[in-house]
Amino acid sequence: MEEQIRVRFAPSPTGHLHIGNARTAILNWIFAQKSGGTFVLRIEDTDVERSSLKSENSIFDDLKWLGLDWHEGPDVGGDEGPYRQSERLEIYKENLDLLKKKERAYPCFCSEAELEKKRKAAIARGENPDYDRKCLKLSQAERENLIQSGQKASWRFYVRPGEVSWCDLVKDELRFETENFGDFIIMRPDGTPTYNFAAAVDDGLMKISHVIRGDDHASNTPKQILLYESLDWTPPTFCHIPMILGPDRARLSKRHGATSIHEFKLKGYLPEALINFLSLLSWSSETGDEILSVDRLINEFDFERMNKSPAIFDLTKFNWMNAYYIRNMELDRLVDTTIPYLRETKIDTSDRARLKKIIELVRDKAESLTQIRELVEPFYEERVQLTDGKTIALSSKDSSQKVYWAFLRYLESYDTVEAKTFRSIMKQVQKETGVMGKDLWMPIRVALTGQLHGPDLAMVAEILGKDTCQKLVKNLLV
Ligand code: GLU
């Protein structure tokens, strides 16, 4: 029987969706789409202090914004639920009981302070700081006595000697000696499971076929495989994807700028650019193409072509890619996508035709939707404020003033200003004043936009219209 592909994305709801996690979600989703498999969303919220429903909802929103939909999850349900770990405590307890029966789990009464003291002493002696199995040696009677006296116990997993190995889809054959980690805690005294236990139990019971996650979890995998083994389950296929580093080769963090999907969304990046860019970290298409639609990614992606070394987050490349998507998006869709970014500005979105014309004019100069906003805003200003010395000096030069006076005069003779009319006005101004090239065009650009650079000036003038052009140029007469 062919294996049913089931993958999962298992975020902890402790903040916004980090781009590293988003990339894990994207690769899981692509893999599911490619193989006709099931994409499960599981919320790992056993850390009650740090988890919140607000974070959970923001993760849902960000995943939806990226266009990643899930077949099973806390909100949509499914046959293998519940999909929130906090709702599965009974299930962990049952599986702990199974491990107890098989003598693979034992209670530990050691206090955190005592464990810490021992760890420090072992490190000072140059020895392995793993748990010394003090509580494994307790007799049944001693355990019962301690429980009777009100002592709370955590539960440790008994780690067998020997080796654990697996064939990772990215990292190939991996081997770990179990003596490198001691008997680890699987259940805390308050009855909540630790990450390794909950993840292994859930992946097993949810019939996950492929665990695709960040490389930082590779050291947890041998522990999870041991748990599978003791529960008589076959482990899934593991796939550890390389980490994302900043340009300084340190792990990507706040220090490097925006790191969450939410922040990138606010900055005006497009979901399709994010999906494309994040998929290309540590992976490339056989064709060498960099711009890859979701359909092509689903077609062409495979873990065999994935690099083993970490990926560097290159913001310049990301900006280039976002600009590409902005330039090539269907214009009406771009207008719709940009409108939410125009809130709290003076931009009047009710005149859609005008807004569309402006966006069409400026889109080639923008790397993000917030940059589109900056480029659109001047078209809605009543007055252009010159703020830097260069533009102020330029506008008050004698030759510029000559240009302004002539411009206003010729403008007067037209009823409206189309791009074509504007160009012929400029020709007449040049003829009359003898001012040419940059000295002719720049002062007008500064008057109409306040900037030294920008989109086609004739189109700018057409969009502003005769009255506004007149008012703006008059503003700069001295
Ligand atoms: N909750 C874990 C995390 O966010 C999931 C790790 C895993 O995929 O097993 O890192």
Side-chain angles (χ1 to χ4, degrees):
M1 198 178 81
E2 217 181 290
E3 186 193 21
Q4 175 58 30
I5 304 281
R6 288 177 60 82
V7 293
R8 71 353 176 232
F9 175 54
S12 306
T14 55
H16 287 304
L17 183 62
H18 184 272
I19 54 161
N21 287 337
R23 186 247 216 148
T24 302
I26 291 168
L27 297 189
N28 272 286
W29 183 84
I30 288 178
F31 188 70
Q33 297 288 318
K34 199 180 171 72
S35 52
T38 303
F39 180 47
V40 177
L41 177 62
R42 181 171 80 224
I43 295 295
E44 303 210 326
D45 60 350
T46 54
D47 184 344
V48 184
E49 296 272 287
R50 297 179 59 225
S51 302
S52 72
L53 219 56
K54 193 170 159 227
S55 296
E56 185 182 303
N57 283 327
S58 100
I59 291 173
F60 288 179
D61 288 347
D62 289 344
L63 290 173
K64 283 182 197 155
W65 179 75
L66 284 170
L68 309 181
D69 40 359
W70 47 97
H71 301 101
E72 294 173 27
D75 53 342
V76 291
D79 291 345
E80 315 300 341
Y83 295 91
R84 257 186 217 102
Q85 289 189 329
S86 59
E87 293 164 14
R88 299 172 62 81
L89 298 184
E90 215 27 63
I91 297 174
Y92 306 125
K93 206 174 145 292
E94 281 162 22
N95 284 279
L96 174 66
D97 288 341
L98 288 177
L99 292 177
K100 285 187 208 168
K101 265 197 205 110
K102 294 177 180 213
E103 298 194 349
R104 294 301 299 269
Y106 61 90
C108 174
F109 300 91
C110 299
S111 69
E112 204 29 68
E114 184 184 348
L115 292 170
E116 188 52 29
K117 208 169 131 195
K118 280 192 198 167
R119 260 197 299 268
K120 280 196 179 137
I123 291 168
R125 289 195 304 273
E127 287 171 11
N128 187 341
D130 288 337
Y131 185 57
D132 62 4
R133 292 191 161 161
K134 177 182 162 196
C135 289
L136 179 65
K137 291 159 203 148
L138 295 175
S139 68
Q140 194 52 33
E142 284 171 317
R143 283 178 187 163
E144 266 155 33
N145 273 341
L146 282 164
I147 291 171
Q148 291 285 307
S149 69
Q151 285 249 30
K152 286 264 180 226
S154 51
W155 286 84
R156 283 188 188 270
F157 177 70
Y158 175 84
V159 174
R160 64 151 172 82
E163 195 186 70
V164 179
S165 68
W166 77 93
C167 187
D168 196 278
L169 272 192
V170 172
K171 299 171 70 106
D172 302 332
E173 181 85 1
L174 289 176
R175 294 177 178 280
F176 282 78
E177 281 299 331
T178 64
E179 66 184 26
N180 289 328
F181 44 88
D183 294 346
F184 53 94
I185 293 177
I186 51 176
M187 185 80 88
R188 302 184 189 94
D190 64 2
T192 56
T194 57
Y195 157 69
N196 278 310
F197 186 48
V201 167
D202 291 347
D203 288 338
L205 294 179
M206 292 180 182
K207 306 189 182 85
I208 299 301
S209 62
H210 293 73
V211 168
I212 302 163
R213 62 184 167 201
D215 203 6
D216 50 340
H217 283 291
S219 59
N220 288 317
T221 304
K223 296 181 182 173
Q224 294 176 15
I225 291 179
L226 286 173
L227 286 161
Y228 268 88
E229 225 179 68
S230 345
L231 290 163
D232 298 320
W233 297 338
T234 314
T237 300
F238 288 97
C239 177
H240 291 94
I241 50 185
M243 295 279 91
I244 307 176
L245 307 181
D248 56 356
R249 304 200 69 85
R251 216 171 135 174
L252 199 67
S253 69
K254 279 265 152 260
R255 203 156 50 77
H256 296 107
T259 50
S260 70
I261 295 298
H262 184 71
E263 283 168 288
F264 281 111
K265 183 164 131 188
L266 290 182
K267 281 173 180 275
Y269 287 84
L270 299 170
E272 46 269 62
L274 261 160
I275 300 248
N276 190 162
F277 178 71
L278 293 178
S279 305
L280 285 185
L281 293 176
S282 299
W283 180 82
S284 60
S285 155
E286 221 167 343
T287 61
D289 293 348
E290 302 255 40
I291 298 293
L292 295 166
S293 64
V294 171
D295 285 345
R296 275 193 68 183
L297 284 168
I298 293 171
N299 252 322
E300 295 174 32
F301 186 85
D302 82 63
F303 285 111
E304 262 167 43
R305 288 185 56 78
M306 188 141 230
N307 242 314
K308 290 184 181 47
S309 41
I312 308 285
F313 188 90
D314 178 353
L315 189 60
T316 311
K317 182 171 170 185
F318 187 23
N319 286 336
W320 165 80
M321 202 171 262
N322 204 45
Y324 174 89
Y325 280 97
I326 287 177
R327 265 199 321 277
N328 290 285
M329 194 186 251
E330 197 270 314
L331 184 57
D332 269 306
R333 219 188 115 214
L334 181 62
V335 174
D336 289 338
T337 314
T338 306
I339 284 175
Y341 290 82
L342 306 181
R343 277 186 211 120
E344 288 165 36
T345 65
K346 289 186 193 142
I347 300 168
D348 171 17
T349 53
S350 63
D351 186 350
R352 188 181 167 95
R354 183 170 191 258
L355 179 63
K356 187 170 161 182
K357 219 166 163 184
I358 299 170
I359 291 179
E360 185 179 18
L361 181 65
V362 302
R363 60 144 76 170
D364 286 1
K365 301 245 177 299
E367 287 185 332
S368 67
L369 301 178
T370 49
Q371 280 183 12
I372 292 194
R373 177 177 64 211
E374 283 160 25
L375 292 164
V376 169
E377 268 187 307
F379 288 91
Y380 293 85
E381 293 294 343
E382 311 252 299
R383 236 190 116 93
V384 170
Q385 286 293 359
L386 299 189
T387 46
D388 69 296
K390 251 190 181 166
T391 50
I392 295 171
L394 181 74
S395 66
S396 45
K397 259 170 66 174
D398 281 353
S399 64
S400 306
Q401 290 293 316
K402 252 183 12 198
V403 166
Y404 291 153
W405 282 107
F407 180 84
L408 287 171
R409 199 152 6 87
Y410 285 111
L411 187 63
E412 207 46 66
S413 53
Y414 293 93
D415 292 335
T416 55
V417 185
E418 273 83 49
K420 225 172 82 205
T421 352
F422 176 83
R423 287 192 198 101
S424 63
I425 292 177
M426 292 303 277
K427 250 193 215 132
Q428 296 174 77
V429 173
Q430 178 186 331
K431 235 186 185 163
E432 186 189 302
T433 60
V435 181
M436 292 189 297
K438 265 168 77 174
D439 291 338
L440 170 72
W441 290 85
M442 281 290 215
I444 298 289
R445 179 176 291 286
V446 163
L448 300 187
T449 69
Q451 311 282 326
L452 293 167
H453 308 280
D456 177 28
L457 200 54
M459 277 309 297
V460 172
E462 176 176 317
I463 292 167
L464 290 172
K466 179 182 166 182
D467 290 351
T468 308
C469 285
Q470 201 167 39
K471 210 161 79 189
L472 291 172
V473 172
K474 269 188 186 160
N475 273 338
L476 293 188
L477 293 177
V478 290

